Amino acid sequence: MSEPLKGNVLLVDDDPAVAKVLGALLTQAGLTTHTARDGQEALSLLGRKPIDVVVSDVRMPGMDGMQLLGEVSRSWPDVPVILLTAHGTVPLAVEAMKAGAADFVLKPFDREEILFTIRKALLRANDDTTRAPLRAPSPFIGRSKAMADVQAMLAKAATGTATVLLRGESGTGKELAAKAVHDGSPRRAGPFVKLHCAALPDTLLESELFGYEKGAFTGAATRKPGRVELAHGGTLFLDEVGDIPLSMQVKLLRVIQERELERLGGTQPVKVDVRFVAATHQPLEELVKTGRFREDLFYRLNVVPVELPPLRARPEDIEPLAKHFLDAHAKANGRPPFTLTPEGLAVLQAQPWPGNVRQLQNFLERLVVLSDGQVLTGEEVTRELARQPGLSPAPTVAAPVVPSGGTSAPAPADSGLTLESQRKGMEKQALVDALKRAGDNRTLAARLLGISRRTLYNKLEEHGLL
């Protein structure tokens, strides 16, 4: 907790005095700060600067903090938003979390608390596994029996109160399935609260789950509810539950069994009414055998297990998924509708798609942005696949021609033919091409390149393109 903070923070507040004080505090802590006086100015800065975290006041003239949160969630889903409010209540916190806020802090804020909160947000922002995926369709799209069975199981599970354990590879739609359970349940009017268990270290995970009392640790300036409390009357989705450390598994087991918790630093139990849905891509049975996951917690979570099949096991779903994603991305990018030829579809169906539906969705967005025409042929799909690691065999490189009677001489170090110089040249050209295709929209360019916005800005700076 003592290492210096690093990152770019955007402060949004119509009170210059608050922005100045908070900006000085964050700069002193090692952060780079940018300020905006309202939501529109904040959106403009987000389009031009490599922002890692947004800290915004809730009450502002024009676009308020909740409206700004909605815009950031839609256009920059990988940028966490922390809301500042002088009127903090649990209902407001629930509303903010449902809208996608990473956290909230009460005014007047305590120095250590605001730094503690920003540290948590930076940890999540810098963890690629937590980056928000593009929205998957709902309800599920597909014609396979495997997905029909999954939907039937989710519909049955939704009507009860039993804990659901979603299992499957990354990108198969576990969060979508968790939301489907919540939306189909009697708790649909309550909050749906998410927590990615692998994104935070042990100390932060405990405070995120259970909350804390004032003075529980340095930075705890006031009592704050955790995600379990915020989900009261609704559903708590624990993503990657297999990554919870053993010390925390005991406390989670107690909450599931007894429906009560103790905040960090507290002594009194707090009753909660929460339905748990958990997800993991890990083999929990193997973790139980090796002592890395509690057997009693496994049985508590595994009441209604639902396995989400990988995309390669249901190739018949690729056609309806492709049509949906092509239509959605064409509309989002201001393009006319696209047509996928039978040959193009066959190429897509032959791929293993290790990233599953999420990878297919992102690949089709690349096709929409990069294609000159509206008909996607097998040749065009194959050409784009060749640029995607893990989806197509690497092109064969012709062997160098060696003059008869001799061996090829190594190129001089300054000839421009060294591997490193060629790599840098190709990388720079890829950046230029992506920015051109994206109309200089850096968020879209990052998605086209399959990297985060932070990595894109680092590369642009490295190659002198900023």
Side-chain angles (χ1 to χ4, degrees), residues 4-21:
L5 295 173
K6 292 183 180 179
N8 290 266
V9 179
L10 174 58
L11 305 176
V12 191
D13 201 307
D14 59 322
D15 186 340
V18 173
K20 183 177 181 180
V21 170

Side-chain angles (χ1 to χ4, degrees), residues 20 23 76 79 133 186 290 308 315 352 380-381 403 441 445:
K20 183 177 181 180
W76 297 277
V79 178
T290 57
L308 277 76
E380 188 164 9
V381 174
N441 182 323

Side-chain angles (χ1 to χ4, degrees), residues 235-256:
T235 304
L236 178 63
F237 174 46
L238 299 173
D239 198 7
E240 296 304 344
V241 72
D243 290 287
I244 291 182
L246 281 169
S247 59
M248 289 292 297
Q249 291 177 26
V250 180
K251 298 179 180 181
L252 178 59
L253 178 64
R254 179 192 174 192
V255 175
I256 295 175

